[in-house]
Amino acid sequence: MSTTSLPGGTWSLGDMTVTRFGYGAMQLAGPGVMGPPADHDGALAVLRAAVDLGITHIDTADAYGPRVTNALIREALHPYPGSLHVATKVGATRDEQGGWPPARRPDQLRRAIDENLESLGLDRLDLVNLRLGDATGPRPGALSEAFETLAELRRQGLIRHLGVSNATAEQVVEAQAIAPIVCVQNMYNLAYRHDDELIDRLAAEGIAYVPFFPLGGFSPLQSEALSAVAKRVDATPMAVALAWLLQRSPNILLIPGTSSATHLRENVAGAGVTLSGEDIAELENISAQV
């Protein structure tokens, strides 16, 4: 499958062209995003299937596992195809209880960049998102010291492009005043639409918006309206949710995760379903009902 035949086509992240339908590697780690996968060979197969499908945007973080998903990506795909771009995140680590304590001091960020370079087997990271907030969502607060650290590492040639994750709209503006960003990665889906205004602003500026938990995350999307539309278009509810995101705005890039190559192929096929104006209107009422 070529990149042009993937649902949504492509988008430019700075000077990198990526498929709007990407792949998120978080689910390749063990339960709670801790430890190795139950099926090591199966995890490698998913990553190779993503590339075989034409996907050129893989999202990861060294905190997944920790250091598990990056190692799997390297084992499965290194040396990487020239068209493939790997995005990673820094700004949080893991504790023994599986929590995500922040790690945004300059020394912690420099160490995280070095660890990502090592674990992925790269001399330069294509895209680094600064993870803000906490496990409950974005939190107000200055990001200048942390983002200036990443901007300096970018000037040193260790990072190609920057973005922010789990950020408020105000933090996005603050980051943009420090260095160019190519994407914002926040939670967003049919039921959780707090970033509607931000998505539209970023689209006008040519900046990508990458929704995590596009299918609801650990609590999958459920709605009578979603099920009704899915039945009408002869698709699964999850396929409809992905298709709606691709049709919501041209700057939305998808990174749904799965540990199954079969499920990955189903997601790709399903996201290509065409939704009518009636379908979209019905789906857009879901957030008001949640």
Side-chain angles (χ1 to χ4, degrees):
M1 183 178 290
S2 70
T3 60
T4 55
S5 61
L6 283 167
T10 60
W11 178 266
S12 295
L13 287 170
D15 60 352
M16 305 184 306
T17 299
V18 301
T19 50
R20 289 182 63 206
F21 196 103
Y23 172 71
M26 186 175 75
Q27 290 190 27
L28 294 184
V33 203
M34 292 289 285
D39 182 356
H40 181 89
D41 290 344
L44 300 181
V46 174
L47 290 163
R48 290 167 181 153
V51 172
D52 288 344
L53 286 166
I55 288 172
T56 62
H57 172 207
I58 292 179
D59 179 82
T60 184
D62 212 30
Y64 296 164
R67 296 178 71 87
V68 168
T69 61
N70 280 11
L72 291 168
I73 290 169
R74 181 174 183 173
E75 182 179 354
L77 303 175
H78 194 277
Y80 305 112
S83 60
L84 181 65
H85 301 289
V86 179
T88 189
K89 285 177 289 297
V90 296
T93 186
R94 305 303 300 277
D95 59 29
E96 292 182 358
Q97 293 72 43
W100 302 78
R104 295 193 285 268
R105 296 195 315 267
D107 62 310
Q108 292 174 315
L109 292 172
R110 293 189 187 98
R111 183 165 59 251
I113 294 301
D114 287 342
E115 290 174 349
N116 273 277
L117 288 166
E118 177 188 1
S119 60
L120 288 167
L122 293 168
D123 296 322
R124 180 176 67 165
L125 299 169
D126 279 336
L127 171 58
V128 175
N129 288 301
L130 174 62
R131 187 183 189 276
L132 299 164
D134 57 31
T136 65
R139 289 290 175 267
L143 55 71
S144 56
E145 182 181 47
F147 206 70
E148 285 167 0
T149 299
L150 295 182
E152 174 57 30
L153 294 172
R154 177 175 175 267
R155 286 190 289 271
Q156 293 175 16
L158 299 178
I159 301 170
R160 188 170 179 178
H161 293 295
L162 294 171
V164 291
S165 177
N166 208 29
T168 66
E170 292 74 21
Q171 288 167 333
V172 173
V173 172
E174 184 181 1
Q176 289 178 290
I178 296 169
I181 66 171
V182 299
C183 73
V184 173
Q185 188 180 103
N186 279 0
M187 180 174 175
Y188 183 84
N189 54 52
L190 268 170
Y192 188 90
R193 298 186 54 185
H194 294 57
D195 275 353
D196 274 333
E197 290 184 9
L198 177 61
I199 289 170
D200 294 339
R201 177 173 74 79
L202 293 173
E205 297 175 6
I207 296 171
Y209 184 93
V210 186
F212 61 76
F213 294 156
L215 301 176
F218 300 108
S219 299
L221 291 171
Q222 293 183 353
S223 159
E224 290 183 6
L226 179 57
S227 297
V229 171
K231 183 177 181 179
R232 192 159 62 232
V233 300
D234 192 25
T236 67
M238 296 302 98
V240 170
L242 292 174
W244 176 82
L245 284 166
L246 285 176
Q247 294 178 53
R248 163 65 180 82
S249 182
N251 67 323
I252 288 182
L253 311 184
L254 299 185
I255 51 168
T258 177
S259 58
S260 161
T262 298
H263 188 208
L264 172 63
R265 294 186 185 96
E266 290 172 351
N267 280 343
V268 170
V273 66
T274 299
L275 301 174
S276 69
E278 178 187 357
D279 296 331
I280 291 173
E282 192 169 345
L283 292 170
E284 292 191 344
N285 284 327
I286 291 176
S287 61
Q289 299 166 7
V290 175

